[in-house]
Amino acid sequence: MLQLSSNLVETIGSDHYLHDFTDEELKEIIVKKDEWSHLDYLLAQKILKERGHEIAPEEIERHRKQRLEDLAKPEERQTIWIIIGYIMAFLGGFMGIFIGWYLKTHRKTLPNGDRVYNYIESDRKQGGRILTLSTISLVFWIGVRIYFSK
């Protein structure tokens, strides 16, 4: 497959859409290889080389490492979802269970296959509290409903 892509790059003419990309856009294709096809990646390298702007492998690796570090950073504080989660926990629990579980457990997969938490630790702890409180609240409201239905 890789050899096929390498051979195909040589047959692609100058009417291919990547020829309209700027040098910076082509460099971005190389750095974000996981977002593009292997053919686009190889063609971007070829076009840059033809333009005299070939990128050194060390520079590519440095940019990829920086990108992975940026992608691994957790989201900003989820204050509004935490507030909504606590409100939902007291109002019956079901939606609070989902919000708490999501805040506590949600992870994202990086291009290198590593999985990291999507939210900062304090938000994950709040998610655990919302999950616990929502579960207790749900059991309580079900109990109240059963008790008063008799």
Side-chain angles (χ1 to χ4, degrees), residues 8 38 41 51 62 79 92 97 101 104 137 140 146 150:
L8 192 56
H38 189 68
Y41 170 76
R51 293 180 184 176
R62 185 174 45 81
T79 307
I97 288 172
W101 168 79
K104 180 177 172 52
S137 178
F140 171 78
I146 291 171
K150 291 181 181 182

Side-chain angles (χ1 to χ4, degrees), residues 8-9 26 29 36 45 49 61 65 94 107 113 123 125 133 142 145:
L8 192 56
V9 165
L26 292 171
I29 291 172
W36 294 84
Q45 284 183 322
K49 187 175 184 177
E61 190 58 33
K65 285 181 181 177
F94 182 71
R107 293 177 183 236
D123 286 355
K125 286 181 181 178
L133 185 60
I142 289 173
R145 176 124 172 135

Side-chain angles (χ1 to χ4, degrees), residues 67-75 108 110 116-118:
R67 180 167 178 257
L68 283 176
E69 288 175 17
D70 292 343
L71 290 173
K73 290 179 183 173
E75 300 274 333
K108 57 185 169 183
L110 301 178
V116 295
Y117 283 107
N118 203 41

Side-chain angles (χ1 to χ4, degrees), residues 2-148:
L2 297 178
Q3 184 62 33
L4 181 63
S5 295
S6 298
N7 293 339
L8 192 56
V9 165
E10 300 304 321
T11 64
I12 294 176
S14 62
D15 60 338
H16 190 275
Y17 69 93
L18 285 183
H19 286 280
D20 295 332
F21 280 37
T22 65
D23 291 346
E24 288 304 313
E25 291 170 329
L26 292 171
K27 288 176 184 178
E28 187 174 328
I29 291 172
I30 293 169
V31 170
K32 297 180 178 180
K33 178 181 177 180
D34 57 285
E35 294 180 4
W36 294 84
S37 72
H38 189 68
L39 178 65
D40 288 340
Y41 170 76
L42 293 174
L43 187 57
Q45 284 183 322
K46 179 184 176 212
I47 294 169
L48 279 173
K49 187 175 184 177
E50 289 171 355
R51 293 180 184 176
H53 295 106
E54 191 171 5
I55 303 176
E58 303 82 31
E59 185 180 351
I60 294 171
E61 190 58 33
R62 185 174 45 81
H63 284 295
R64 283 194 186 137
K65 285 181 181 177
Q66 180 61 47
R67 180 167 178 257
L68 283 176
E69 288 175 17
D70 292 343
L71 290 173
K73 290 179 183 173
E75 300 274 333
E76 298 291 321
R77 290 201 43 87
Q78 300 297 309
T79 307
I80 191 72
W81 283 111
I82 291 171
I83 292 169
I84 292 170
Y86 278 115
I87 291 170
M88 292 295 138
F90 286 111
L91 293 178
F94 182 71
M95 282 301 294
I97 288 172
F98 176 73
I99 292 170
W101 168 79
Y102 190 78
L103 287 172
K104 180 177 172 52
T105 63
H106 188 261
R107 293 177 183 236
K108 57 185 169 183
T109 304
L110 301 178
N112 65 358
D114 290 347
R115 291 184 46 87
V116 295
Y117 283 107
N118 203 41
Y119 302 112
I120 59 176
E121 186 175 350
S122 62
D123 286 355
R124 292 195 318 267
K125 286 181 181 178
Q126 290 289 345
R129 291 181 191 123
I130 292 169
L131 180 60
T132 302
L133 185 60
S134 296
T135 304
I136 292 168
S137 178
L138 183 63
V139 170
F140 171 78
W141 286 112
I142 289 173
V144 167
R145 176 124 172 135
I146 291 171
Y147 179 76
F148 286 112

